Every structure is written in C-alpha cells, then in structure tokens.
Amino acid sequence: MRKERKDRPDQKAAREAYERRKRRQTLLWSGAAVLAVLAAAAIGYRYYTQARLLDTVTVASYPAGQHVAGKIEHKEKPPLGGAHNVAWQNCGIYDAPIHNEHAVHSLEHGAVWITFRPDLPADEVQVLRGLAADDYMLLSPYPGLDAPVVASAWNHQIRLNGARDPGLNAFIAKYKNNPETTPEFGASCYGAISSTATTVDSLDLGSGVPR
C-alpha cells in the first residue's frame, strides 16, 4: 500500500501562508473591481444628472468678434452673444445693472454672467455672490427679467427658479471658460470696464481700449 505523504511542519506552514496570501489577493482584487464599478456608476450618474439639469438651456449661434461702438439692440434680454462693445466688463460682483454691450464681450472671453431680479430675496442674492466670487464670473441685477435668475454664457443661457436651483451649478460647471464654447478662450476677464449702466456711459469708447 502507498503511504500518505505528510508535510514536514515547515512545509505545512509555508503552504498555509501561501494559501492565505492567495485568499487575501483574491479579496483585494474583488474589492478593487467593486470599487471600480461603483466609481463608474457614480460618474455616469453625475453626467446623466447634469445633462438632465441642462435640458432647458437655450442655445444660439452668434458669430464672435463683432465689436461695435454705441448702443446695441439684442434679441435676448439679457443677451447671450452677438455684437458687443470693444471693451469687456471686468468680471466681478456688481450691485447695479451693467451694460449688455460690455457683458457680452465678457461672455466671449469665457465668463458666465448671472443676472437676477432686483427684488430677489437677500439670502438668495448672498448665495449668488458666493458663486460669483470665483474667476470668470459676472453678477448683476437685471430689471425686467422673466425669471428670478438667468445665467448666460456665450451662445448658451438658462432660466432658473432661484439661486439654489441645481441647474445653476451645472450650467457654471459646463460652460464657464469652456474651450469648446468660448470663442476667445484664454482671454482676460479684467483690465477693461468696471463702470455700471447707472454711473458712466462707456459705450462710445474708441479703439484705445484693450480688445
């Protein structure tokens, strides 16, 4: 009869250690696979949610580079593109309305312009001020808006129910300084006009203003 082979104590310990390592490695790979699936699902859901939030975005097709002086009549209020002043509006937070003509030039440089009804509750205005504290952002009241808050980027615009509407953050994330939708990507949002529509009429500035 063939005798059953018995491992020496050191061989048995080595085999058990090897099997433990294999089990641990299998568990690690399984855990990594689960995490990868969860991460992919989270990213997919994020993009799906963002797309749903942006379903109501108005899209236009205005060509860039139309620099003119003087008052301009825009189709949309507030405008989201088209002809504009040679000088852009410096990005920042404004307590008074600003000229459409300067703001549109800022959109051409990649800014998102948030406008709100002058009677918007103070707590909502504070929320907007927090969002507009970032670069390439404009914030100003806009009399006569047909929605409490409107956000505009070059050739894109969304009407919102208020400052906490989730569509606002989604719009900023997608369109602010987006190289695919910004005609003059990389251009500055500072160094030009900081006056408001209620203080100085700067619409007839000449070619000495930075372009």
Side-chain angles (χ1 to χ4, degrees), residues 151-179:
S152 307
W154 185 264
N155 276 336
H156 297 84
Q157 189 173 82
I158 188 169
R159 279 162 168 71
L160 304 155
N161 294 322
R164 296 179 176 85
D165 190 316
L168 179 55
N169 283 309
F171 185 89
I172 294 169
K174 182 170 180 63
Y175 295 112
K176 190 186 80 162
N177 216 20
N178 182 337

PDB file of all heavy atoms in Angstrom, residues 151-179:
ATOM      1  N   ALA A 151     -28.757  82.696 -16.054  1.00  0.00           N
ATOM      2  CA  ALA A 151     -27.308  82.561 -16.236  1.00  0.00           C
ATOM      3  C   ALA A 151     -27.012  82.482 -17.734  1.00  0.00           C
ATOM      4  O   ALA A 151     -27.685  81.754 -18.469  1.00  0.00           O
ATOM      5  CB  ALA A 151     -26.779  81.319 -15.532  1.00  0.00           C
ATOM      6  N   SER A 152     -25.991  83.223 -18.154  1.00  0.00           N
ATOM      7  CA  SER A 152     -25.655  83.279 -19.580  1.00  0.00           C
ATOM      8  C   SER A 152     -24.171  83.013 -19.783  1.00  0.00           C
ATOM      9  O   SER A 152     -23.332  83.485 -19.008  1.00  0.00           O
ATOM     10  CB  SER A 152     -25.998  84.659 -20.163  1.00  0.00           C
ATOM     11  OG  SER A 152     -27.344  85.009 -19.895  1.00  0.00           O
ATOM     12  N   ALA A 153     -23.875  82.255 -20.819  1.00  0.00           N
ATOM     13  CA  ALA A 153     -22.514  82.079 -21.325  1.00  0.00           C
ATOM     14  C   ALA A 153     -22.612  82.322 -22.824  1.00  0.00           C
ATOM     15  O   ALA A 153     -23.703  82.504 -23.361  1.00  0.00           O
ATOM     16  CB  ALA A 153     -21.997  80.677 -21.030  1.00  0.00           C
ATOM     17  N   TRP A 154     -21.486  82.342 -23.518  1.00  0.00           N
ATOM     18  CA  TRP A 154     -21.544  82.635 -24.950  1.00  0.00           C
ATOM     19  C   TRP A 154     -22.411  81.605 -25.672  1.00  0.00           C
ATOM     20  O   TRP A 154     -22.131  80.397 -25.638  1.00  0.00           O
ATOM     21  CB  TRP A 154     -20.142  82.665 -25.556  1.00  0.00           C
ATOM     22  CG  TRP A 154     -20.168  83.077 -27.006  1.00  0.00           C
ATOM     23  CD1 TRP A 154     -20.172  82.258 -28.092  1.00  0.00           C
ATOM     24  CD2 TRP A 154     -20.238  84.414 -27.515  1.00  0.00           C
ATOM     25  NE1 TRP A 154     -20.240  82.982 -29.246  1.00  0.00           N
ATOM     26  CE2 TRP A 154     -20.277  84.327 -28.928  1.00  0.00           C
ATOM     27  CE3 TRP A 154     -20.261  85.678 -26.930  1.00  0.00           C
ATOM     28  CZ2 TRP A 154     -20.336  85.433 -29.755  1.00  0.00           C
ATOM     29  CZ3 TRP A 154     -20.315  86.795 -27.746  1.00  0.00           C
ATOM     30  CH2 TRP A 154     -20.352  86.673 -29.140  1.00  0.00           C
ATOM     31  N   ASN A 155     -23.511  82.081 -26.279  1.00  0.00           N
ATOM     32  CA  ASN A 155     -24.448  81.260 -27.045  1.00  0.00           C
ATOM     33  C   ASN A 155     -25.209  80.239 -26.211  1.00  0.00           C
ATOM     34  O   ASN A 155     -25.815  79.307 -26.770  1.00  0.00           O
ATOM     35  CB  ASN A 155     -23.737  80.547 -28.205  1.00  0.00           C
ATOM     36  CG  ASN A 155     -23.612  81.439 -29.432  1.00  0.00           C
ATOM     37  OD1 ASN A 155     -24.381  82.365 -29.624  1.00  0.00           O
ATOM     38  ND2 ASN A 155     -22.613  81.163 -30.260  1.00  0.00           N
ATOM     39  N   HIS A 156     -25.198  80.389 -24.892  1.00  0.00           N
ATOM     40  CA  HIS A 156     -25.939  79.470 -24.029  1.00  0.00           C
ATOM     41  C   HIS A 156     -26.571  80.262 -22.879  1.00  0.00           C
ATOM     42  O   HIS A 156     -25.947  81.176 -22.330  1.00  0.00           O
ATOM     43  CB  HIS A 156     -25.031  78.378 -23.470  1.00  0.00           C
ATOM     44  CG  HIS A 156     -24.454  77.487 -24.515  1.00  0.00           C
ATOM     45  ND1 HIS A 156     -23.309  77.810 -25.223  1.00  0.00           N
ATOM     46  CD2 HIS A 156     -24.884  76.287 -25.003  1.00  0.00           C
ATOM     47  CE1 HIS A 156     -23.041  76.842 -26.090  1.00  0.00           C
ATOM     48  NE2 HIS A 156     -23.976  75.919 -25.981  1.00  0.00           N
ATOM     49  N   GLN A 157     -27.783  79.870 -22.498  1.00  0.00           N
ATOM     50  CA  GLN A 157     -28.485  80.596 -21.430  1.00  0.00           C
ATOM     51  C   GLN A 157     -29.499  79.665 -20.768  1.00  0.00           C
ATOM     52  O   GLN A 157     -30.114  78.819 -21.423  1.00  0.00           O
ATOM     53  CB  GLN A 157     -29.196  81.814 -22.011  1.00  0.00           C
ATOM     54  CG  GLN A 157     -29.776  82.773 -20.986  1.00  0.00           C
ATOM     55  CD  GLN A 157     -30.298  84.037 -21.666  1.00  0.00           C
ATOM     56  OE1 GLN A 157     -31.412  84.048 -22.187  1.00  0.00           O
ATOM     57  NE2 GLN A 157     -29.469  85.093 -21.686  1.00  0.00           N
ATOM     58  N   ILE A 158     -29.661  79.861 -19.449  1.00  0.00           N
ATOM     59  CA  ILE A 158     -30.631  79.057 -18.717  1.00  0.00           C
ATOM     60  C   ILE A 158     -31.412  79.948 -17.758  1.00  0.00           C
ATOM     61  O   ILE A 158     -30.839  80.830 -17.100  1.00  0.00           O
ATOM     62  CB  ILE A 158     -29.941  77.904 -17.947  1.00  0.00           C
ATOM     63  CG1 ILE A 158     -30.977  76.952 -17.349  1.00  0.00           C
ATOM     64  CG2 ILE A 158     -28.986  78.430 -16.879  1.00  0.00           C
ATOM     65  CD1 ILE A 158     -30.368  75.662 -16.805  1.00  0.00           C
ATOM     66  N   ARG A 159     -32.719  79.739 -17.699  1.00  0.00           N
ATOM     67  CA  ARG A 159     -33.584  80.448 -16.771  1.00  0.00           C
ATOM     68  C   ARG A 159     -33.837  79.562 -15.561  1.00  0.00           C
ATOM     69  O   ARG A 159     -34.112  78.368 -15.715  1.00  0.00           O
ATOM     70  CB  ARG A 159     -34.900  80.832 -17.462  1.00  0.00           C
ATOM     71  CG  ARG A 159     -34.743  82.083 -18.288  1.00  0.00           C
ATOM     72  CD  ARG A 159     -35.802  82.299 -19.323  1.00  0.00           C
ATOM     73  NE  ARG A 159     -35.707  83.662 -19.840  1.00  0.00           N
ATOM     74  CZ  ARG A 159     -34.729  84.105 -20.622  1.00  0.00           C
ATOM     75  NH1 ARG A 159     -33.759  83.277 -20.974  1.00  0.00           N
ATOM     76  NH2 ARG A 159     -34.703  85.359 -21.040  1.00  0.00           N
ATOM     77  N   LEU A 160     -33.762  80.158 -14.385  1.00  0.00           N
ATOM     78  CA  LEU A 160     -33.770  79.384 -13.148  1.00  0.00           C
ATOM     79  C   LEU A 160     -34.814  79.915 -12.176  1.00  0.00           C
ATOM     80  O   LEU A 160     -35.167  81.096 -12.191  1.00  0.00           O
ATOM     81  CB  LEU A 160     -32.379  79.431 -12.506  1.00  0.00           C
ATOM     82  CG  LEU A 160     -31.248  78.954 -13.423  1.00  0.00           C
ATOM     83  CD1 LEU A 160     -29.920  79.565 -13.014  1.00  0.00           C
ATOM     84  CD2 LEU A 160     -31.164  77.434 -13.407  1.00  0.00           C
ATOM     85  N   ASN A 161     -35.266  79.024 -11.291  1.00  0.00           N
ATOM     86  CA  ASN A 161     -36.292  79.397 -10.319  1.00  0.00           C
ATOM     87  C   ASN A 161     -35.739  80.177  -9.134  1.00  0.00           C
ATOM     88  O   ASN A 161     -36.500  80.746  -8.349  1.00  0.00           O
ATOM     89  CB  ASN A 161     -37.009  78.144  -9.805  1.00  0.00           C
ATOM     90  CG  ASN A 161     -37.803  77.457 -10.894  1.00  0.00           C
ATOM     91  OD1 ASN A 161     -38.402  78.117 -11.739  1.00  0.00           O
ATOM     92  ND2 ASN A 161     -37.798  76.129 -10.895  1.00  0.00           N
ATOM     93  N   GLY A 162     -34.437  80.178  -8.972  1.00  0.00           N
ATOM     94  CA  GLY A 162     -33.828  80.891  -7.862  1.00  0.00           C
ATOM     95  C   GLY A 162     -32.355  80.558  -7.753  1.00  0.00           C
ATOM     96  O   GLY A 162     -31.810  79.789  -8.548  1.00  0.00           O
ATOM     97  N   ALA A 163     -31.709  81.132  -6.736  1.00  0.00           N
ATOM     98  CA  ALA A 163     -30.269  80.965  -6.571  1.00  0.00           C
ATOM     99  C   ALA A 163     -29.882  79.530  -6.229  1.00  0.00           C
ATOM    100  O   ALA A 163     -28.755  79.108  -6.496  1.00  0.00           O
ATOM    101  CB  ALA A 163     -29.772  81.913  -5.482  1.00  0.00           C
ATOM    102  N   ARG A 164     -30.801  78.777  -5.634  1.00  0.00           N
ATOM    103  CA  ARG A 164     -30.483  77.408  -5.215  1.00  0.00           C
ATOM    104  C   ARG A 164     -30.929  76.367  -6.229  1.00  0.00           C
ATOM    105  O   ARG A 164     -30.857  75.166  -5.946  1.00  0.00           O
ATOM    106  CB  ARG A 164     -31.117  77.136  -3.845  1.00  0.00           C
ATOM    107  CG  ARG A 164     -30.537  78.016  -2.734  1.00  0.00           C
ATOM    108  CD  ARG A 164     -31.204  77.741  -1.387  1.00  0.00           C
ATOM    109  NE  ARG A 164     -30.595  78.517  -0.321  1.00  0.00           N
ATOM    110  CZ  ARG A 164     -30.926  79.761  -0.013  1.00  0.00           C
ATOM    111  NH1 ARG A 164     -31.887  80.375  -0.728  1.00  0.00           N
ATOM    112  NH2 ARG A 164     -30.330  80.397   0.971  1.00  0.00           N
ATOM    113  N   ASP A 165     -31.379  76.809  -7.366  1.00  0.00           N
ATOM    114  CA  ASP A 165     -31.743  75.874  -8.430  1.00  0.00           C
ATOM    115  C   ASP A 165     -30.496  75.082  -8.828  1.00  0.00           C
ATOM    116  O   ASP A 165     -29.467  75.669  -9.186  1.00  0.00           O
ATOM    117  CB  ASP A 165     -32.275  76.660  -9.639  1.00  0.00           C
ATOM    118  CG  ASP A 165     -32.909  75.770 -10.696  1.00  0.00           C
ATOM    119  OD1 ASP A 165     -32.317  74.712 -11.016  1.00  0.00           O
ATOM    120  OD2 ASP A 165     -33.971  76.130 -11.219  1.00  0.00           O
ATOM    121  N   PRO A 166     -30.531  73.740  -8.750  1.00  0.00           N
ATOM    122  CA  PRO A 166     -29.326  72.949  -9.065  1.00  0.00           C
ATOM    123  C   PRO A 166     -28.829  73.142 -10.486  1.00  0.00           C
ATOM    124  O   PRO A 166     -27.671  72.857 -10.789  1.00  0.00           O
ATOM    125  CB  PRO A 166     -29.765  71.504  -8.806  1.00  0.00           C
ATOM    126  CG  PRO A 166     -31.259  71.536  -8.857  1.00  0.00           C
ATOM    127  CD  PRO A 166     -31.665  72.887  -8.355  1.00  0.00           C
ATOM    128  N   GLY A 167     -29.692  73.634 -11.373  1.00  0.00           N
ATOM    129  CA  GLY A 167     -29.252  73.873 -12.734  1.00  0.00           C
ATOM    130  C   GLY A 167     -28.196  74.955 -12.847  1.00  0.00           C
ATOM    131  O   GLY A 167     -27.411  74.972 -13.802  1.00  0.00           O
ATOM    132  N   LEU A 168     -28.129  75.851 -11.858  1.00  0.00           N
ATOM    133  CA  LEU A 168     -27.154  76.938 -11.911  1.00  0.00           C
ATOM    134  C   LEU A 168     -25.731  76.403 -11.783  1.00  0.00           C
ATOM    135  O   LEU A 168     -24.849  76.755 -12.582  1.00  0.00           O
ATOM    136  CB  LEU A 168     -27.446  77.966 -10.817  1.00  0.00           C
ATOM    137  CG  LEU A 168     -26.493  79.157 -10.726  1.00  0.00           C
ATOM    138  CD1 LEU A 168     -26.387  79.880 -12.061  1.00  0.00           C
ATOM    139  CD2 LEU A 168     -26.955  80.125  -9.631  1.00  0.00           C
ATOM    140  N   ASN A 169     -25.491  75.567 -10.798  1.00  0.00           N
ATOM    141  CA  ASN A 169     -24.147  74.997 -10.632  1.00  0.00           C
ATOM    142  C   ASN A 169     -23.760  74.131 -11.830  1.00  0.00           C
ATOM    143  O   ASN A 169     -22.602  74.139 -12.263  1.00  0.00           O
ATOM    144  CB  ASN A 169     -24.081  74.166  -9.346  1.00  0.00           C
ATOM    145  CG  ASN A 169     -23.975  75.026  -8.112  1.00  0.00           C
ATOM    146  OD1 ASN A 169     -23.136  75.905  -8.016  1.00  0.00           O
ATOM    147  ND2 ASN A 169     -24.856  74.794  -7.151  1.00  0.00           N
ATOM    148  N   ALA A 170     -24.728  73.399 -12.357  1.00  0.00           N
ATOM    149  CA  ALA A 170     -24.443  72.560 -13.522  1.00  0.00           C
ATOM    150  C   ALA A 170     -24.080  73.417 -14.731  1.00  0.00           C
ATOM    151  O   ALA A 170     -23.171  73.083 -15.490  1.00  0.00           O
ATOM    152  CB  ALA A 170     -25.661  71.688 -13.830  1.00  0.00           C
ATOM    153  N   PHE A 171     -24.783  74.539 -14.893  1.00  0.00           N
ATOM    154  CA  PHE A 171     -24.507  75.435 -16.017  1.00  0.00           C
ATOM    155  C   PHE A 171     -23.108  76.031 -15.898  1.00  0.00           C
ATOM    156  O   PHE A 171     -22.347  76.058 -16.877  1.00  0.00           O
ATOM    157  CB  PHE A 171     -25.560  76.556 -16.034  1.00  0.00           C
ATOM    158  CG  PHE A 171     -25.455  77.473 -17.215  1.00  0.00           C
ATOM    159  CD1 PHE A 171     -26.118  77.189 -18.393  1.00  0.00           C
ATOM    160  CD2 PHE A 171     -24.706  78.635 -17.146  1.00  0.00           C
ATOM    161  CE1 PHE A 171     -26.026  78.039 -19.497  1.00  0.00           C
ATOM    162  CE2 PHE A 171     -24.607  79.500 -18.236  1.00  0.00           C
ATOM    163  CZ  PHE A 171     -25.266  79.194 -19.412  1.00  0.00           C
ATOM    164  N   ILE A 172     -22.756  76.500 -14.705  1.00  0.00           N
ATOM    165  CA  ILE A 172     -21.429  77.093 -14.500  1.00  0.00           C
ATOM    166  C   ILE A 172     -20.337  76.051 -14.764  1.00  0.00           C
ATOM    167  O   ILE A 172     -19.339  76.327 -15.436  1.00  0.00           O
ATOM    168  CB  ILE A 172     -21.308  77.657 -13.074  1.00  0.00           C
ATOM    169  CG1 ILE A 172     -22.270  78.831 -12.889  1.00  0.00           C
ATOM    170  CG2 ILE A 172     -19.869  78.099 -12.782  1.00  0.00           C
ATOM    171  CD1 ILE A 172     -22.405  79.289 -11.448  1.00  0.00           C
ATOM    172  N   ALA A 173     -20.546  74.842 -14.246  1.00  0.00           N
ATOM    173  CA  ALA A 173     -19.542  73.787 -14.409  1.00  0.00           C
ATOM    174  C   ALA A 173     -19.320  73.444 -15.876  1.00  0.00           C
ATOM    175  O   ALA A 173     -18.194  73.142 -16.286  1.00  0.00           O
ATOM    176  CB  ALA A 173     -19.972  72.538 -13.629  1.00  0.00           C
ATOM    177  N   LYS A 174     -20.375  73.498 -16.670  1.00  0.00           N
ATOM    178  CA  LYS A 174     -20.246  73.092 -18.071  1.00  0.00           C
ATOM    179  C   LYS A 174     -19.727  74.209 -18.968  1.00  0.00           C
ATOM    180  O   LYS A 174     -18.917  73.967 -19.867  1.00  0.00           O
ATOM    181  CB  LYS A 174     -21.590  72.597 -18.604  1.00  0.00           C
ATOM    182  CG  LYS A 174     -21.503  72.116 -20.054  1.00  0.00           C
ATOM    183  CD  LYS A 174     -22.749  71.409 -20.496  1.00  0.00           C
ATOM    184  CE  LYS A 174     -22.648  70.939 -21.947  1.00  0.00           C
ATOM    185  NZ  LYS A 174     -21.573  69.953 -22.134  1.00  0.00           N
ATOM    186  N   TYR A 175     -20.181  75.441 -18.740  1.00  0.00           N
ATOM    187  CA  TYR A 175     -19.926  76.490 -19.730  1.00  0.00           C
ATOM    188  C   TYR A 175     -18.897  77.543 -19.325  1.00  0.00           C
ATOM    189  O   TYR A 175     -18.391  78.247 -20.200  1.00  0.00           O
ATOM    190  CB  TYR A 175     -21.247  77.180 -20.087  1.00  0.00           C
ATOM    191  CG  TYR A 175     -22.215  76.254 -20.783  1.00  0.00           C
ATOM    192  CD1 TYR A 175     -23.393  75.853 -20.167  1.00  0.00           C
ATOM    193  CD2 TYR A 175     -21.933  75.754 -22.052  1.00  0.00           C
ATOM    194  CE1 TYR A 175     -24.275  74.987 -20.802  1.00  0.00           C
ATOM    195  CE2 TYR A 175     -22.801  74.887 -22.693  1.00  0.00           C
ATOM    196  CZ  TYR A 175     -23.979  74.507 -22.062  1.00  0.00           C
ATOM    197  OH  TYR A 175     -24.837  73.650 -22.684  1.00  0.00           O
ATOM    198  N   LYS A 176     -18.573  77.663 -18.062  1.00  0.00           N
ATOM    199  CA  LYS A 176     -17.602  78.694 -17.690  1.00  0.00           C
ATOM    200  C   LYS A 176     -16.221  78.365 -18.242  1.00  0.00           C
ATOM    201  O   LYS A 176     -15.665  77.304 -17.982  1.00  0.00           O
ATOM    202  CB  LYS A 176     -17.517  78.843 -16.161  1.00  0.00           C
ATOM    203  CG  LYS A 176     -16.695  80.068 -15.745  1.00  0.00           C
ATOM    204  CD  LYS A 176     -16.486  80.133 -14.245  1.00  0.00           C
ATOM    205  CE  LYS A 176     -15.367  79.215 -13.822  1.00  0.00           C
ATOM    206  NZ  LYS A 176     -14.834  79.531 -12.477  1.00  0.00           N
ATOM    207  N   ASN A 177     -15.699  79.294 -19.049  1.00  0.00           N
ATOM    208  CA  ASN A 177     -14.349  79.142 -19.600  1.00  0.00           C
ATOM    209  C   ASN A 177     -14.163  77.776 -20.261  1.00  0.00           C
ATOM    210  O   ASN A 177     -13.088  77.182 -20.176  1.00  0.00           O
ATOM    211  CB  ASN A 177     -13.308  79.348 -18.488  1.00  0.00           C
ATOM    212  CG  ASN A 177     -12.068  80.044 -19.006  1.00  0.00           C
ATOM    213  OD1 ASN A 177     -12.072  80.691 -20.048  1.00  0.00           O
ATOM    214  ND2 ASN A 177     -10.981  79.935 -18.277  1.00  0.00           N
ATOM    215  N   ASN A 178     -15.197  77.335 -20.946  1.00  0.00           N
ATOM    216  CA  ASN A 178     -15.146  76.052 -21.646  1.00  0.00           C
ATOM    217  C   ASN A 178     -14.468  76.265 -23.003  1.00  0.00           C
ATOM    218  O   ASN A 178     -14.959  77.030 -23.836  1.00  0.00           O
ATOM    219  CB  ASN A 178     -16.576  75.533 -21.836  1.00  0.00           C
ATOM    220  CG  ASN A 178     -16.621  74.172 -22.516  1.00  0.00           C
ATOM    221  OD1 ASN A 178     -15.688  73.772 -23.214  1.00  0.00           O
ATOM    222  ND2 ASN A 178     -17.711  73.471 -22.321  1.00  0.00           N
ATOM    223  N   PRO A 179     -13.351  75.610 -23.259  1.00  0.00           N
ATOM    224  CA  PRO A 179     -12.636  75.846 -24.523  1.00  0.00           C
ATOM    225  C   PRO A 179     -13.447  75.465 -25.762  1.00  0.00           C
ATOM    226  O   PRO A 179     -13.172  75.956 -26.855  1.00  0.00           O
ATOM    227  CB  PRO A 179     -11.381  74.968 -24.387  1.00  0.00           C
ATOM    228  CG  PRO A 179     -11.727  73.951 -23.357  1.00  0.00           C
ATOM    229  CD  PRO A 179     -12.662  74.622 -22.411  1.00  0.00           C
TER     230      PRO A 179
END
